[in-house]
Amino acid sequence: MIREITQEEKQSFNEYIAKIKEINSKSLNIPLAHVHSFGCQQNVSDGEKIKGMLAQMGYGFTSDTAMADIIIFNTCAVRENAEDRVFGNIGALKKLKQQNKGLIIAVGGCMVQQEHIAKRIRQSYPQVDIIFGTHVMHELPRMIYEKLAENKRQVNIPDMDGVIAEGLPVIRESKVKASVPIMYGCNNFCSYCIVPYVRGRERSRRPGEVISEVESLIKEGYKEILLLGQNVNSYGKEHNFSFARLLSALDNFEGEYKISFMTSHPKDCTFELIDTIADSKHISYHLHLPVQSGSNRILKLMNRHYDMAHYLELIEYAKKRIPDVALTTDIIVGFPGETYEDFKKTLELMEKVRYDSAYTFIYSKREGTVAAKMDDPVSDEEKGRWFRQLLDVQNAIGETAYQRFVGKTVRVLCEGIGRTADGLMTGHTRQGVIVDFPGDNGSIGKYYDVKVTRALPWAVTGELVGNAD
Ligand code: 5AD
Ligand code: SF4
């Protein structure tokens, strides 16, 4: 069940913001906030909302924790190394807290939504003043106020889910690219994944809200909109409004812009969606389709609900319908019970699909998931060897993947200074591929047609055909 935040909650949210602003306005210097988001784009997007709230409370921002009056870590739980990094970072703040007793330290997000982690922070990290779960970001103003005014430690990690807080203020990292969450949570329970436990059940924002937000962003001059969800292909079930329909609705605004999205789940990705992309004016020709494994046996154990035959059918159709489509994926190496035979099937799949790039991970055991209880006999060393083999195969594919663009003319928005050589500016193709081309600072924000002359493993370079503006 979706529960949108109520009028009363909105009112109390505004009142707490005003009260903190009042306190902050009495400070000699503008108080500073340091916000760091770990992990995925969804977390970065949540971080932009946290910043939006803090700005309304009268905080400025600093990238230096030593300068900060409030430090907020927005954490990720998807793999153990992400959690280790957060613990390291929180540990390092102990000294700062001793030097500045008024410093507020808040830790929130996916990691603390797990009971054992929240307990560990509560007990072993007394320097942390506020611990907030994934469903109560909109209650941050109250928690900060109660800490500031009453010096009370705040622990707020309700287990409920389904909350959608529309209309939170937001400070975006970029003036050109904007992320727009379209749904929250996940219902899939892939057996290795902690996300459904920490982000709750799947719920979609109302199509009207998404469409009007994207429309205003484009009117404000944003050129790239990234739609976010754990499984965007199942968007809109509760509104009877499919993802393909949402994309079509977002394709109709005036002007030049690009809509991209992540992440697609192969079990819900449809041929209709691929047609929608192919027939659109503004939708990115990039499909991120996490396969996780090339072995049907492992996919079953992972609870992924598709097999290689179906996956490859989708890939073939996308290659046929979408010009020079960019295909990327996520892969997990060393899932419990995976054998070298299974792993070789993943390598074979990579050769068949020839992804532009792949995000590769060694399996990380997540407490509370189904896979955490499975037998996992393969050693870490062996998994490490498989992982390096996978990287070698993908790197070799990546060496030549962009050759398909050489000789073609691509439309590019100039976004900044290029990295391939001096005097080159940079942008992305409709497929999301980096293109470096001649220009200067005056080119930023304009569109160019670039003829690709050279392909590198991570970018292409080319010469100007003309200014498309
Ligand atoms: N171990 C390793 N990788 C994982 N992912 C999700 N959970 C785990 C885990 N327990 C990877 C998947 C997913 C990506 C976001 O992170 O490949 O697609
Ligand atoms: Fe995790 Fe699977 Fe949901 Fe992705 S689709 S967030 S991998 S459970």
Side-chain angles (χ1 to χ4, degrees):
M1 253 291 283
I2 307 179
R3 186 182 78 78
E4 294 189 24
I5 62 170
T6 61
Q7 253 346 82
E8 291 84 67
E9 282 173 303
K10 204 67 203 275
Q11 197 178 338
S12 124
F13 173 87
N14 288 330
E15 283 167 10
Y16 281 115
I17 285 189
K19 284 189 200 172
I20 300 168
K21 193 170 181 186
E22 169 80 26
I23 298 176
N24 282 342
S25 68
K26 296 197 179 112
S27 157
L28 280 176
N29 302 313
I30 295 179
L32 295 178
H34 172 92
V35 179
H36 188 86
S37 293
F38 297 80
C40 68
Q41 302 273 357
Q42 177 65 56
N43 250 24
V44 173
S45 163
D46 285 350
E48 294 183 337
K49 292 196 173 117
I50 292 174
K51 281 191 167 174
M53 292 187 256
L54 290 166
Q56 288 197 345
M57 295 172 201
Y59 286 98
F61 295 98
T62 176
S63 53
D64 181 0
T65 48
M67 300 281 291
D69 298 283
I70 180 164
I71 296 172
I72 301 188
F73 288 153
N74 185 26
T75 63
C76 167
V78 90
R79 279 172 295 276
E80 194 177 2
N81 52 9
E83 295 188 341
D84 290 344
R85 268 179 52 218
V86 172
F87 278 122
N89 277 285
I90 308 176
L93 296 181
K94 198 167 178 176
K95 251 221 194 94
L96 283 184
K97 185 82 175 189
Q98 283 160 355
Q99 289 157 3
N100 172 9
K101 292 272 182 286
L103 171 67
I104 296 180
I105 299 174
V107 181
C110 293
M111 188 175 153
V112 304
Q113 192 69 33
Q114 305 166 92
E115 228 173 281
H116 67 285
I117 300 271
K119 190 168 161 205
R120 180 168 161 199
I121 296 178
R122 246 187 3 246
Q123 293 179 345
S124 313
Y125 295 83
Q127 66 268 41
V128 177
D129 303 294
I130 299 175
I131 310 177
F132 63 102
T134 52
H135 305 297
V136 288
M137 210 170 66
H138 59 285
E139 292 182 31
L140 255 184
R142 178 183 58 72
M143 293 181 260
I144 294 175
Y145 177 77
E146 287 181 1
K147 173 63 198 164
L148 262 180
E150 297 159 27
N151 200 21
K152 273 204 249 151
R153 193 183 206 199
Q154 305 289 312
V155 179
N156 188 0
I157 314 166
D159 204 12
M160 50 97 173
D161 63 39
V163 179
I164 293 191
E166 286 292 355
L168 294 185
V170 49
I171 290 193
R172 297 186 188 276
E173 303 286 335
S174 152
K175 295 272 168 266
V176 199
K177 299 181 183 186
S179 300
V180 174
I182 61 167
M183 62 198 301
Y184 303 95
C186 183
N187 283 355
N188 291 320
F189 290 94
C190 301
S191 60
Y192 50 81
C193 186
I194 195 71
V195 168
Y197 303 89
V198 293
R199 287 248 174 210
R201 291 298 62 71
E202 187 177 289
R203 54 216 182 266
S204 300
R205 292 177 64 198
R206 275 187 266 126
E209 300 274 359
V210 176
I211 294 167
S212 63
E213 181 174 346
V214 172
E215 184 172 19
S216 336
L217 287 167
I218 290 167
K219 280 201 182 126
E220 280 171 48
Y222 283 90
K223 302 291 183 202
E224 281 196 41
I225 310 291
L226 173 61
L227 308 176
L228 293 176
Q230 299 297 340
N231 179 11
V232 289
N233 308 108
S234 73
Y235 169 82
K237 292 228 166 86
E238 58 274 66
H239 310 294
N240 257 324
F241 201 98
S242 73
F243 182 57
R245 196 168 151 206
L246 180 71
L247 283 181
S248 300
L250 298 179
D251 193 37
N252 284 327
F253 303 121
E254 290 288 310
E256 193 131 22
Y257 63 91
K258 186 167 84 180
I259 304 274
S260 38
F261 56 86
M262 67 185 346
T263 290
S264 291
H265 193 306
K267 87 177 161 61
D268 297 311
C269 178
T270 58
F271 294 93
E272 181 202 5
L273 175 77
I274 293 169
D275 287 337
T276 306
I277 299 170
D279 299 336
S280 73
K281 295 192 289 288
H282 301 281
I283 299 165
S284 170
Y285 286 161
H286 170 204
L287 201 54
H288 180 63
L289 209 53
V291 67
Q292 313 299 358
S293 167
S295 152
N296 286 337
R297 192 180 75 84
I298 295 299
L299 288 174
K300 225 184 187 117
L301 290 173
M302 287 178 163
N303 195 30
R304 292 288 288 177
H305 296 283
Y306 55 84
D307 60 12
M308 272 305 97
H310 177 63
Y311 186 86
L312 287 170
E313 222 182 334
L314 287 169
I315 294 286
E316 283 318 308
Y317 193 67
K319 281 184 177 170
K320 195 171 83 190
R321 288 288 280 120
I322 306 174
D324 291 314
V325 64
L327 295 166
T328 57
T329 199
D330 293 347
I331 289 174
I332 297 178
V333 173
F335 182 83
E338 185 175 13
T339 62
Y340 189 66
E341 286 307 305
D342 293 311
F343 171 68
K344 271 199 329 213
K345 295 202 168 104
T346 303
L347 295 182
E348 282 161 23
L349 169 80
M350 311 282 282
E351 297 284 5
K352 259 189 217 147
V353 179
R354 302 189 68 77
Y355 295 102
D356 281 346
S357 60
Y359 300 86
T360 49
F361 311 100
I362 292 186
Y363 169 74
S364 168
K365 182 174 175 176
R366 307 284 62 212
E367 203 173 302
T369 60
V370 171
K373 294 184 209 81
M374 294 178 185
D375 243 13
D376 190 5
V378 175
S379 69
D380 289 350
E381 291 72 38
E382 184 70 5
K383 289 184 183 184
R385 272 193 291 276
W386 296 358
F387 185 72
R388 285 188 296 278
Q389 201 179 341
L390 182 75
L391 288 187
D392 287 344
V393 168
Q394 180 54 36
N395 286 342
I397 293 168
E399 285 288 325
T400 55
Y402 289 165
Q403 289 291 348
R404 67 188 189 280
F405 291 104
V406 174
K408 291 187 181 159
T409 297
V410 291
R411 167 69 56 97
V412 191
L413 170 70
C414 180
E415 294 163 29
I417 294 168
R419 288 199 291 143
T420 42
D422 285 347
L424 296 187
M425 302 302 284
T426 195
H428 291 85
T429 67
R430 187 161 171 185
Q431 290 79 5
V433 173
I434 297 171
V435 188
D436 282 7
F437 55 96
D440 53 36
N441 279 336
S443 319
I444 295 176
K446 296 186 187 131
Y447 282 92
Y448 293 88
D449 287 326
V450 177
K451 185 166 179 199
V452 176
T453 50
R454 189 167 159 230
L456 302 165
W458 54 276
V460 297
T461 61
E463 54 204 32
L464 288 182
V465 175
N467 180 342
D469 272 351

